[in-house]
Amino acid sequence: MAKSISYVTGSQLLSLKRRPNIAVVDVRDDERSYDGHITGSLHYASDTFSDKMPNLIQAVRGKDTLVFHCALSQVRGPKCARRLADYLGELKEDMGIKNIMVLERGYNGWEASGRPVCRCTNIPCQGDSA
Ligand SMILES: [Zn+2]
């Protein structure tokens, strides 16, 4: 049951984010610590992503939509999204994740469009300090 990956724009994500069953997964590496992040996003750095996939799946229990992004969503974001889709396909149990998406233009595009960013240092992001 290989899942396909679709792309969402920043404005689509902004309206999707109002739903409780969506998780935003930031796979940037060090940049997250100095560039800010999308409010409420989870952080699973691309360099350790494969090892952390089981943790990620636990962290997003109850969510049916995951939106991946990196800085530009050209390499790391789509790659990690693909990896997770393949991993989910290998699991016997259905984890309830129905949609795997990638944010077009990544965090840089999001921030450049003036969309809300958070600069907290909480892990995980508590989401209120934008
Ligand atoms: Zn934050």
Side-chain angles (χ1 to χ4, degrees):
M1 49 178 240
K3 292 180 160 62
S4 63
I5 292 164
S6 53
Y7 278 75
V8 284
T9 63
S11 53
Q12 286 168 329
L13 177 57
L14 211 51
S15 42
L16 281 174
K17 260 168 76 36
R18 299 199 193 100
R19 297 165 45 196
N21 54 354
I22 183 169
V24 177
V25 184
D26 180 358
V27 300
R28 287 175 299 163
D29 296 282
D30 294 343
E31 311 105 291
R32 180 173 168 107
S33 50
Y34 43 82
D35 278 350
H37 48 269
I38 297 177
T39 306
S41 58
L42 303 169
H43 185 220
Y44 288 85
S46 69
D47 58 357
T48 53
F49 186 80
S50 294
D51 299 336
K52 300 275 176 63
M53 284 193 298
N55 306 43
L56 170 58
I57 287 171
Q58 288 304 316
V60 300
R61 262 186 189 277
K63 313 278 186 192
D64 66 10
T65 300
L66 303 187
V67 180
F68 284 80
H69 76 85
C70 54
L72 299 170
S73 286
Q74 287 182 346
V75 180
R76 292 171 295 179
K79 195 166 85 181
C80 291
R82 181 76 259 163
R83 243 182 238 171
L84 187 79
D86 291 345
Y87 179 71
L88 287 171
E90 288 164 14
L91 294 177
K92 294 219 165 59
E93 192 184 343
D94 180 1
M95 304 311 288
I97 298 167
K98 296 186 178 68
N99 307 300
I100 297 181
M101 299 175 169
V102 173
L103 171 64
E104 277 178 15
R105 299 179 62 221
Y107 180 77
N108 295 3
W110 175 271
E111 189 183 30
S113 316
R115 307 201 190 281
V117 301
C118 176
R119 299 187 188 278
C120 79
T121 50
N122 301 325
I123 300 170
C125 173
Q126 302 301 315
D128 294 315
S129 50

